[in-house]
Amino acid sequence: MITRHNLDKSFGPTGSSAGILLFIVGLLTIYYSIIGAVLIILGAFVGLSRTTTRIDSENKRIMFSNDIFGFVRTGKWITVGPDMKIGVKAVSKGWRAHSLSNRGLDTFVNDHRVFLLGHDNKVIMPILKTKSAEEAKQESEKIAGQLGIHLL
């Protein structure tokens, strides 16, 4: 069984909101001008693109992908070896957007992520994100059990 976990929006929360707005404006203007089609494509690309992780527990493999337009997957499957590990780490991400009047909008997100680690304890890829450390610990134990690897 393959499970999918959404990680982040590719262009951050501000870019995603702007992309959805472009998409809606494109839908409204497509009747009047061909420029509406360009706005629809650009808005769908910026507004719907995201990063995801897919876990195939039956074949013991994981894929980190950028989902362009929300459904076109880019990425490759990585077979999970017995020397790999699962680890949990707190992550703080920030995005900054500037308006035409040069005012900044800063958005910060703090969460806990479960990572796949190599034999040398270096991060290979993030697997999933949670809001709390306890939930991340529970999910890491569950994934480690499914894939048959150790926790860090």
Side-chain angles (χ1 to χ4, degrees), residues 15-142:
S16 179
S17 299
I20 298 296
L21 180 66
L22 280 176
F23 183 78
I24 292 170
V25 169
L27 286 176
L28 296 175
T29 61
I30 188 93
Y31 179 73
Y32 302 107
S33 173
I34 195 69
I35 301 292
V38 174
L39 291 177
I40 289 173
I41 293 170
L42 182 65
F45 175 71
V46 173
L48 300 176
S49 295
R50 70 180 71 141
T51 58
T52 60
T53 304
R54 288 173 176 77
I55 302 171
D56 185 1
S57 56
E58 294 171 358
N59 296 322
K60 295 189 179 185
R61 59 188 187 155
I62 298 177
M63 178 173 67
F64 177 83
S65 68
N66 288 308
D67 294 352
I68 300 171
F69 295 106
F71 63 90
V72 179
R73 293 184 295 208
T74 60
K76 64 179 189 174
W77 289 100
I78 294 176
T79 303
V80 176
D83 58 341
M84 293 182 178
K85 299 175 187 88
I86 299 282
V88 177
K89 192 163 113 177
V91 175
S92 178
K93 283 190 154 206
W95 291 273
R96 175 173 286 175
H98 293 282
S99 67
L100 290 176
S101 64
N102 204 24
R103 293 184 186 187
L105 172 66
D106 296 333
T107 306
F108 296 99
V109 176
N110 298 318
D111 56 29
H112 291 79
R113 296 191 185 218
V114 177
F115 288 96
L116 178 67
L117 306 168
H119 68 285
D120 55 354
N121 292 338
K122 290 189 179 179
V123 174
I124 296 175
M125 72 175 72
I127 297 176
L128 65 93
K129 72 175 181 177
T130 61
K131 295 196 183 274
S132 68
E134 296 82 25
E135 185 180 355
K137 181 80 170 151
Q138 291 172 354
E139 290 292 328
S140 65
E141 291 171 355
K142 178 180 160 188

Side-chain angles (χ1 to χ4, degrees), residues 82 84-87 144 148-152:
M84 293 182 178
K85 299 175 187 88
I86 299 282
I149 56 179
H150 299 288
L151 290 172
L152 181 67

